[in-house]
Amino acid sequence: MKKQTLLSASILAITLTLSGCQSAYYSAMEKVGVHKRDILIDRVEETKDSQEESQEEFQSALERLTTLINFDGGELQDAYNQLNDDYESSLAAANEVSSNINKVEDVAEALFDEWSDELEQYKSASLKRESSKKLAATQRQFSQLLRSMRSAESKMEPVLSSLQDNVLYLKHNLNAQAVAAIKGEFTNLKRDIQVLMNDMNKSIADSNKFIEQMNSVG
């Protein structure tokens, strides 16, 4: 019976998530013992994982482009198809990162609102003061984490735009001249991808720090 109840609540939670009703989702999860704090930690983990996957996709696209600009014979159509696949994979990975960051921000806001409201339920002034300090410290660290995530996210757009430009140009100009033209853009793209990687590494490190802090609070 307990397993059936957990399954029913999980199905309800998934349905509510898909419908976009986050507050109802959080309520459903609390009924099975999963609180907003737990969801926040899970979502930060998921975002970190999606950033690492995104790094791999962008790196793969860079390596493919490196091979392409050193093209010395063969079928350009195949090279284009491979680069296009890398671009599509990078775009999907980037969208997943953005979606996960939005989910992190949503549950954090819900958690902090709940925590703040519950401060008024304390009868003990010292316990209320201690909880308020922990809330403020957690909010500060989360703000730093969110800034780090958003900063890395903002670096994805110029890289994606540059990759798309290269893919589109190749699509309509499958010849040696097209490859030569792309070489001129390569240095800037390589630099942008490195900046993106650095920002994502910082965000991933901040995520690990935040998760550690949240686990220590609990």
Side-chain angles (χ1 to χ4, degrees), residues 36-139:
K36 295 180 184 70
R37 181 178 165 282
D38 304 310
I39 297 171
L40 175 58
I41 292 172
D42 286 344
R43 289 185 177 179
V44 171
E45 283 274 13
E46 289 167 4
T47 302
K48 181 169 70 77
D49 291 344
S50 67
Q51 286 178 319
E52 289 171 346
E53 181 180 345
S54 182
Q55 283 183 312
E56 292 175 5
E57 296 296 348
F58 281 116
Q59 187 62 41
S60 177
L62 178 63
E63 290 170 1
R64 187 81 65 187
L65 202 53
T66 302
T67 300
L68 184 61
I69 64 171
N70 294 319
F71 195 75
D72 59 357
E75 183 53 61
L76 264 175
Q77 181 67 49
D78 290 341
Y80 160 76
N81 290 337
Q82 291 170 344
L83 181 61
N84 186 55
D85 287 345
D86 284 333
Y87 164 71
E88 294 293 345
S89 295
S90 297
L91 179 61
N95 287 336
E96 181 71 12
V97 169
S98 293
S99 175
N100 283 336
I101 294 173
N102 291 337
K103 291 176 184 177
V104 164
E105 186 170 16
D106 185 271
V107 69
E109 288 177 355
L111 170 63
F112 295 144
D113 286 345
E114 177 184 74
W115 195 340
S116 180
D117 290 342
E118 289 177 348
L119 287 176
E120 302 309 314
Q121 298 176 24
Y122 280 97
K123 298 296 188 291
S124 167
S126 61
L127 289 178
K128 178 180 179 179
R129 186 165 53 250
E130 187 62 26
S131 184
S132 180
K133 287 180 181 178
K134 287 183 178 179
L135 169 58
T138 305
Q139 285 176 313

Side-chain angles (χ1 to χ4, degrees), residues 1 16 28 33 35 39 57 66 79 127 132 146 151 155 186 212:
M1 178 64 71
L16 291 170
H35 300 284
I39 297 171
E57 296 296 348
T66 302
L127 289 178
S132 180
L146 186 61
S151 176
K155 303 300 191 305
F186 181 72
E212 183 180 352

Side-chain angles (χ1 to χ4, degrees), residues 143-163:
S143 293
Q144 177 183 336
L145 171 61
L146 186 61
R147 283 195 302 272
S148 183
M149 286 181 171
R150 291 299 187 192
S151 176
E153 180 189 28
S154 71
K155 303 300 191 305
M156 294 191 296
E157 180 54 37
V159 172
L160 287 168
S161 294
S162 182
L163 283 174

